Amino acid sequence: MTERELFNSYNKDVYRTCYYMLRNEQDAEDLCHDVFVTVFRQDWRSVEHIRAWILRITMNHCLNLLKKNQSKQKKQNQVQLFHEQTTGTVKTVDTIVMERAVAEEWGELLKQLPDKLMAVITLRYIGELTIKEIAEILKIPVGTVKSRNNKALKILRKKLEHNHNIWLKGENQYGTH
């Protein structure tokens, strides 16, 4: 495998992980570049589980940048939709608006999680990695991955229920429900 083939194979995974961790398009692009510079400086051809290895490097870069940014500024306020699934059908304006609203809501919810929990959720549900792969990437025990995943899901569930209750109260207040 050449460097170009390696880049083409894993660029989307690296960028997606960076984007969901950092919530900033430019930072994600910059960090994606830095990840591959790091990868190409290593003996990557001898790595057995290349995807997990690259995503470990990616997550380390992301966590380092988050720590650095936390001391300088608050996290970004807006979340942009990163990836619209391409389908053979044309989407209506209503569908696009709803998808963006849902993506923004999830982005806002994820942004409220502590970095350690956000890392696990991002790798699990955005990166579609197994619990074992996440443990290898973050260099933590499988049990810790499971507990962080469960804790993050509980927090997200509570926030969703809270938001839903507020929405229902708003509807009842205006007599629309």
Side-chain angles (χ1 to χ4, degrees):
M1 181 183 289
T2 66
E3 287 181 351
R4 168 136 331 265
E5 290 170 335
L6 180 77
F7 178 81
N8 289 338
S9 296
Y10 298 105
N11 180 43
K12 287 181 183 176
D13 288 336
V14 170
Y15 178 80
R16 186 179 324 129
T17 301
C18 290
Y19 182 82
Y20 278 98
M21 286 297 295
L22 304 173
R23 309 246 178 358
N24 181 290
E25 208 172 306
Q26 188 61 51
D27 287 347
E29 287 176 13
D30 291 347
L31 210 59
C32 185
H33 176 264
D34 292 347
V35 166
F36 281 100
V37 167
T38 301
V39 167
F40 295 145
R41 288 182 177 165
Q42 306 284 326
D43 184 18
W44 59 270
R45 286 181 174 89
S46 66
V47 174
E48 187 176 347
H49 301 287
I50 193 96
R51 182 173 187 257
W53 180 71
I54 289 173
L55 289 176
R56 178 186 308 137
I57 292 170
T58 302
M59 192 54 65
N60 286 339
H61 276 66
C62 288
L63 292 172
N64 288 340
L65 185 61
L66 284 171
K67 286 177 190 173
K68 181 179 167 186
N69 287 346
Q70 282 176 346
S71 65
K72 290 182 179 179
Q73 62 186 1
K74 292 183 179 181
K75 293 180 182 178
Q76 296 291 337
N77 290 333
Q78 295 182 338
V79 176
Q80 296 177 3
L81 181 60
F82 158 68
H83 182 82
E84 287 189 281
Q85 295 178 339
T86 55
T87 61
T89 60
V90 176
K91 295 179 182 176
T92 65
V93 173
D94 289 344
T95 302
I96 293 170
V97 169
M98 283 301 294
E99 286 175 353
R100 287 190 179 166
V102 168
E104 275 187 37
E105 182 180 8
W106 276 107
E108 287 300 316
L109 290 172
L110 285 174
K111 191 166 57 172
Q112 294 173 25
L113 290 174
D115 292 342
K116 288 179 179 183
L117 301 181
M118 184 174 55
V120 169
I121 291 295
T122 300
L123 290 171
R124 182 75 177 114
Y125 300 103
I126 310 297
E128 300 176 349
L129 298 175
T130 66
I131 298 294
K132 184 178 178 187
E133 290 171 324
I134 296 168
E136 290 174 14
I137 288 168
L138 297 178
K139 295 183 180 178
I140 57 177
V142 168
T144 303
V145 173
K146 289 179 181 179
S147 68
R148 287 181 185 176
N149 186 59
N150 288 333
K151 185 173 183 177
L153 291 175
K154 282 182 184 178
I155 291 170
L156 291 172
R157 191 174 299 118
K158 273 187 179 177
K159 289 182 182 292
L160 280 172
E161 288 171 359
H162 176 73
N163 290 352
H164 181 71
N165 289 336
I166 290 173
W167 180 77
L168 286 177
K169 285 179 185 175
E171 272 197 356
N172 287 335
Q173 180 181 3
Y174 298 107
T176 58
H177 196 308

